[in-house]
Amino acid sequence: MSDKTNQQWGGRFNEPTDAFVARFTASVEFDQRMYLQDIRGSIAHAKMLAAAGVLTEQERDDILRGLEEIRIEIERGEFEWSVALEDVHMNIEAALTKKIGITGKKLHTGRSRNDQVATDIRLYLRDEIDLVLAEISRLQQGLLQIAEREADTIMPGFTHLQTAQPVTFGHHLMAWFEMLSRDYGRFVDCRERVNVMPLGAAALAGTTYPIQRELTCQLLGFNAPAENSLDAVSDRDFAIEFCSAASLLLMHMTRMSEELVLWTSAQFDFINLPDRFCTGSSIMPQKKNPDVPELVRGKSGRVYGHLVSLLTLMKSQPLAYNKDNQEDKEPLFDTIDTVKGCLRAFADMVPALESNKGNMREAALRGFATATDLADYLVRKGVAFRDAHEIVGKSVAYGIEQSKDLGEMSLDELAQFSNVIERDVFEVLTLEGSVAARDHIGGTAPNQVRAAVKRGQAKLDARGTE
């Protein structure tokens, strides 16, 4: 038998695998990151085989000892990975057999690489989702801190990137918090569907050995064994769903990034980013570039691409397992790495944002931000809303002509457009009066922002007890 052919499965072959094909089909260079999950899965499988009487207690103990030694070697960087052994599973099994002899070959009884890899990916993704959830919570915690601090900081709210109505910076940041809350929920939902155990499906049709799937399921912390062996080994919905949730998260983060980039520009100058999250220019000494939000904005493209890649990978695949499915790991792994990196960068950066309150307030004074408040004032005086809309429109046109904001006009100037306008109108034309007037749940009033922060904190605290 040539060393070019995998000794673990090469009995049927009359010639060695071509050296290029061996490298082309190998996955060990990228799937070795699942070594811990592979070892955990093998430990549970060995315990189950012993409980079912397929292995003796001594064989089980030898396997467990050997696997623990391999784990230590890998974590110390002493383990030698071989492309000839194709993947993380065969590398570990071969090393185990070398350590403990023929008993190592018994570990694969009652399972296939098909259900083994499907189990490893689910275990790995489950662990990574937990890390993603923790980073989302950390970013949200930072948003709550700064939103509380900026509950009274007035800024313009925009539609079509045009000044619309006054809001507060804290209220704006709580909108980001809500986006991330939905993202958190999607990853929680995704985790539920990830947490199903394929082990026991074997290659595609189950096994004739008296395995106890419920025991393995319990040992590995899965919610339940997969119901159908064909589906168990060929399903990659969970990976697609993770990439979908990741794409939505990155979409939200691109919106945040775009606003951060705009707000740090000289044209807005609403916020300052700490120097440690920015870089300079190689030619323009005055530049302070918002590289972190720009890069997060750019990284969304690769995550979107991975989602499409996995959808295309699974398109039209017949049941059950196909070698195509080996291509699921690299896009999934890169999505995981990208999401965790983006979240870490934002969770570190956001609490350190500094607002330029004066610039924000000055911007809110431009663009007739209290026009809607004037219309509402007229309605409360008995004017029909459509008529009030027209009256305010004429007032704004006059203000443009005179280069005056509504709050800068005299009572006589405003009263020329409606005889119901009285001196109390100026109470609603101030920025502070405008934001304070929206005193309802979800509104811009500073006390409502602080109440939203408290509710948000309660959500985060509840996660810690789940």
Side-chain angles (χ1 to χ4, degrees):
M1 181 73 65
S2 165
D3 60 4
K4 292 182 181 178
T5 298
N6 190 331
Q7 299 280 346
Q8 308 294 327
W9 53 257
R12 177 252 185 272
F13 290 79
N14 295 318
E15 62 177 347
T17 302
D18 181 82
F20 167 75
V21 172
R23 292 192 303 273
F24 182 71
T25 59
S27 60
V28 67
E29 291 184 353
F30 53 83
D31 68 15
Q32 62 184 261
R33 68 163 65 193
M34 297 193 299
Y35 77 89
L36 186 59
Q37 288 75 24
D38 192 74
I39 290 172
R40 283 165 54 194
S42 291
I43 288 172
H45 187 64
K47 289 180 177 179
M48 182 276 294
L49 289 177
V54 178
L55 293 178
T56 67
E57 290 187 2
Q58 184 60 54
E59 288 172 331
R60 176 201 63 197
D61 292 345
D62 288 344
I63 288 172
L64 300 188
R65 173 180 52 80
L67 289 171
E68 177 62 15
E69 291 176 4
I70 291 170
R71 181 190 66 79
I72 293 170
E73 289 174 9
I74 293 173
E75 292 177 353
R76 288 178 177 172
E78 300 169 356
F79 190 85
E80 294 186 10
W81 298 99
S82 170
V83 172
L85 291 169
E86 296 187 29
D87 54 35
V88 59
H89 325 292
M90 303 310 296
N91 269 264
I92 289 175
E93 183 179 326
L96 180 65
T97 301
K98 186 176 180 180
K99 278 183 180 294
I100 67 173
I102 194 171
T103 300
K105 296 183 178 182
K106 294 184 178 183
L107 174 60
H108 206 55
T109 305
R111 74 177 181 184
S112 163
R113 277 195 298 177
N114 291 358
D115 64 342
Q116 186 180 2
V117 65
T119 300
D120 287 1
I121 296 173
R122 286 177 180 267
L123 286 172
Y124 181 81
L125 186 55
R126 187 180 70 185
D127 292 343
E128 294 298 319
I129 288 174
D130 289 342
L131 295 176
V132 168
L133 291 173
E135 283 296 275
I136 292 175
S137 292
R138 192 164 73 90
L139 173 53
Q140 288 187 289
Q141 187 66 66
L143 286 170
L144 290 178
Q145 292 171 7
I146 191 170
E148 174 78 22
R149 189 176 77 224
E150 305 288 350
D152 295 292
T153 302
I154 291 177
M155 67 178 291
F158 299 95
T159 61
H160 308 278
L161 206 56
Q162 306 293 312
T163 298
Q165 291 178 279
V167 297
T168 67
F169 189 30
H171 187 66
H172 194 113
L173 293 172
M174 287 305 293
W176 293 3
F177 181 91
E178 291 301 316
M179 295 178 191
L180 292 169
S181 291
R182 295 192 296 275
D183 292 319
Y184 187 95
R186 273 184 280 268
F187 282 110
V188 169
D189 290 343
C190 177
R191 192 188 189 283
E192 283 295 305
R193 282 176 283 280
V194 167
N195 204 26
V196 176
M197 189 187 74
L199 205 59
L204 78 160
T207 177
T208 59
Y209 292 97
I211 61 173
Q212 300 174 11
R213 295 189 72 203
E214 293 78 8
L215 174 59
T216 316
C217 188
Q218 180 183 1
L219 291 170
L220 290 174
F222 284 110
N223 288 341
E227 289 282 346
N228 184 280
S229 61
L230 291 167
D231 180 58
V233 297
S234 61
D235 166 48
R236 293 298 183 269
D237 295 5
F238 62 92
I240 296 171
E241 185 175 358
F242 176 86
C243 289
S244 175
S247 294
L248 284 166
L249 169 63
L250 263 294
M251 178 271 290
H252 285 149
M253 295 187 74
T254 64
R255 299 182 71 185
M256 301 174 201
S257 295
E258 178 70 6
E259 290 184 323
L260 290 172
V261 171
L262 288 172
W263 292 345
T264 57
S265 69
Q267 289 71 28
F268 278 78
D269 196 18
F270 283 2
I271 62 167
N272 292 315
L273 290 177
D275 289 352
R276 62 186 179 275
F277 296 102
C278 302
T279 64
S281 166
S282 62
I283 189 173
M284 294 171 285
Q286 86 281 10
K287 293 296 291 299
K288 180 180 174 181
N289 298 325
D291 280 14
V292 167
E294 286 180 348
L295 195 55
V296 169
R297 187 176 60 185
K299 284 182 179 293
S300 63
R302 66 195 294 165
V303 173
Y304 298 171
H306 293 326
L307 172 59
V308 174
S309 175
L310 287 177
L311 286 166
T312 306
L313 174 71
M314 296 306 298
K315 176 183 176 295
S316 303
Q317 271 203 36
L319 292 172
Y321 181 83
N322 299 280
K323 188 66 171 177
D324 313 43
N325 288 2
Q326 181 172 295
E327 290 296 302
D328 64 347
K329 297 173 192 63
E330 288 179 287
L332 178 61
F333 292 162
D334 188 69
T335 296
I336 291 168
D337 294 343
T338 301
V339 165
K340 289 197 302 182
C342 291
L343 284 170
R344 177 180 176 179
F346 262 53
D348 289 345
M349 178 182 66
V350 164
L353 297 179
E354 296 178 355
S355 65
N356 296 326
K357 294 179 173 59
N359 291 345
M360 287 183 169
R361 193 177 195 286
E362 182 183 346
L365 288 170
R366 298 192 300 268
F368 304 93
T370 57
T372 303
D373 298 279
L374 178 56
D376 291 342
Y377 168 87
L378 293 170
V379 170
R380 288 194 295 272
K381 294 282 188 175
V383 179
F385 180 80
R386 287 301 176 196
D387 293 334
H389 190 285
E390 183 178 358
I391 290 168
V392 176
K394 290 178 179 179
S395 303
V396 168
Y398 174 82
I400 293 171
E401 182 181 298
Q402 300 295 318
S403 298
K404 286 184 178 181
D405 190 73
L406 293 172
E408 297 172 328
M409 296 181 193
S410 68
L411 179 58
D412 289 341
E413 286 177 302
L414 289 169
Q416 68 180 304
F417 301 104
S418 173
N419 58 13
V420 303
I421 296 177
E422 299 173 330
R423 184 157 299 279
D424 62 348
V425 72
F426 293 105
E427 296 175 10
V428 305
L429 295 183
T430 65
L431 298 178
E432 289 76 14
S434 176
V435 297
R438 300 183 199 99
D439 192 10
H440 53 76
I441 187 169
T444 61
N447 64 298
Q448 289 293 342
V449 174
R450 292 188 177 92
V453 169
K454 287 182 180 179
R455 291 192 296 271
Q457 189 63 60
K459 286 182 183 178
L460 297 192
D461 293 343
R463 291 175 190 172
T465 61
E466 290 173 354

